[in-house]
Amino acid sequence: MKIFAIGWNYKDHNKELSFNELPVEPTFFLKAETALLKDNKPFYYPDFSNQIEYEVELVIRINKLGKGIDEQFAHRYYSEIGLGIDFTARDLQKKQRESGGPWEICKSFDNSAPVSHFIPVSQFESVQNINFRLDINGKTVQQGNTANMIFSVDKIISYLSRFFLLKMGDLIFTGTPVGVGPVKVGDRLQGYIENELMFDFLIK
């Protein structure tokens, strides 16, 4: 199973990270399979970072084999969506950006990709008009709508399939909106798609 994560896919988030240029094609990285955290299990704050930050994202689950997928047919390759967190060791990321090094150490560490259960995309009028949000300790800290993506879900799938054989069960984190920030031990994270609670877990 592969876990893809799309970067810089919401304009306002790009601005908050001082990335003001619009990407001309999807930017992505891979998370290790051991990054996956399911079933509302707690996230244990790692000892190698002092600045773990949340990035809530809509997640697409691929439902069949695909390679070189045309954008107009990309909708045939997924039928469910979920919600996830791209946990980022921001202090390590800063060092990697300064040195020009790869991002795996700050993005792909164990349990850095909590994922909710999945729901049918058919219950929504369009995958490109879905509200989602993250609450921490009962307060909304991040919210977005997929209409504001720079690159649509179908565009992302088509693009990734140029380089990778997409397989059933592969996950695509589609980017995070503005409002990322730190977590601390004791925080309770609850994620919603529209008004449906998708995940609910603790930072320990």
Side-chain angles (χ1 to χ4, degrees):
M1 185 197 71
K2 299 182 290 297
I3 304 173
F4 299 95
I6 305 300
W8 301 324
N9 202 26
Y10 286 83
K11 293 179 184 178
D12 289 342
H13 170 62
N14 298 350
K15 291 178 182 177
E16 74 176 339
L17 294 184
S18 300
F19 182 78
N20 295 315
E21 295 181 16
L22 289 181
V24 296
E25 56 189 18
T27 299
F28 68 93
F29 54 92
L30 290 167
K31 282 180 172 275
E33 188 171 349
T34 53
L36 195 62
L37 183 66
K38 300 188 296 183
D39 303 323
N40 290 317
K41 292 178 181 177
F43 172 82
Y44 289 89
Y45 207 110
D47 60 5
F48 52 76
S49 174
N50 295 312
Q51 191 181 359
I52 299 294
E53 295 196 354
Y54 58 81
E55 298 185 10
V56 70
E57 310 195 13
L58 195 81
V59 180
I60 302 296
R61 183 161 64 185
I62 298 298
N63 64 6
K64 63 180 178 179
L65 210 63
K67 174 73 174 176
I69 301 166
D70 192 288
E71 185 176 345
Q72 65 178 320
F73 301 122
H75 66 278
R76 300 178 180 177
Y77 290 83
Y78 61 96
S79 58
E80 295 179 311
I81 60 172
L83 198 65
I85 297 284
D86 171 21
F87 276 130
T88 303
R90 197 70 73 193
D91 48 354
L92 299 186
Q93 185 185 43
K94 184 174 184 289
K95 292 179 181 178
Q96 295 303 102
R97 292 179 72 175
E98 290 171 351
S99 67
W103 283 15
E104 281 80 3
I105 194 172
C106 61
K107 285 284 194 178
S108 187
F109 54 89
D110 290 351
N111 299 324
S112 62
V115 176
S116 72
H117 64 280
F118 285 79
I119 56 178
V121 71
S122 59
Q123 73 182 57
F124 303 95
E125 185 173 334
S126 170
V127 73
Q128 294 305 151
N129 187 21
I130 295 176
N131 293 299
F132 59 98
R133 76 177 197 269
L134 173 66
D135 290 359
I136 297 183
N137 304 324
K139 178 182 178 181
T140 298
V141 296
Q142 199 177 9
Q143 55 189 340
N145 185 293
T146 55
N148 296 319
M149 288 180 174
I150 296 171
F151 301 105
S152 69
V153 169
D154 291 352
K155 174 68 175 179
I156 290 167
I157 290 173
S158 177
Y159 183 80
L160 292 175
S161 74
R162 291 173 55 194
F163 308 98
F164 300 91
L165 175 66
L166 300 184
K167 293 185 175 183
M168 183 181 298
D170 285 350
L171 301 179
I172 303 174
F173 283 62
T174 57
T176 194
V178 69
V180 302
V183 294
K184 64 182 184 303
V185 173
D187 282 346
R188 181 182 182 185
L189 277 63
Q190 296 174 299
Y192 295 82
I193 291 180
E194 297 296 346
N195 292 316
E196 180 171 349
L197 179 64
M198 299 298 293
F199 61 68
D200 184 349
F201 66 91
L202 297 173
I203 306 294
K204 290 190 174 181

